Amino acid sequence: MKSTQKPIHEIRLGAIKAAIWENRTATSLRHSVTVSRLYKDGDEWKRSESFGRDDLPLVGKVTDLAHTWIFQEAQREPAAE
């Protein structure tokens, strides 16, 4: 079964993408991040969670940008509702 949930935000540098997911609970808001490498197989776009040596600098950059985005979003959230 495929989930219809979509990431709240995505950051892409070249073929490397960080997807930021939101999980609201009764008492808090949490975020998680998935990182993938996009590639084309014939006419079809696919993704992999495996990275080569030359991908690693971009993995570091997209995860840093994802962290910054989550941190900034947390500053916008009301302290307590």
Side-chain angles (χ1 to χ4, degrees):
M1 186 164 95
K2 194 171 186 176
S3 173
T4 58
Q5 181 182 8
K6 295 188 187 268
I8 190 167
H9 189 69
E10 291 183 342
I11 298 166
R12 184 172 170 185
L13 295 174
I16 307 301
K17 178 173 78 169
I20 302 170
W21 305 86
E22 183 177 80
N23 181 20
R24 289 190 181 271
T25 67
T27 59
S28 68
L29 171 64
R30 302 224 179 244
H31 292 93
S32 62
V33 178
T34 55
V35 180
S36 58
R37 178 178 51 85
L38 304 172
Y39 66 96
K40 202 165 187 181
D41 184 10
D43 291 335
E44 187 178 350
W45 282 98
K46 296 187 176 185
R47 70 178 206 186
S48 173
E49 287 75 35
S50 176
F51 306 98
R53 178 198 66 200
D54 295 339
D55 297 324
L56 295 178
L58 289 178
V59 170
K61 288 181 186 294
V62 298
T63 56
D64 181 50
L65 291 169
H67 175 264
T68 299
W69 188 89
I70 293 168
F71 184 80
Q72 289 173 341
E73 286 298 301
Q75 299 303 305
R76 293 179 213 197
E77 287 290 317
E81 293 183 24

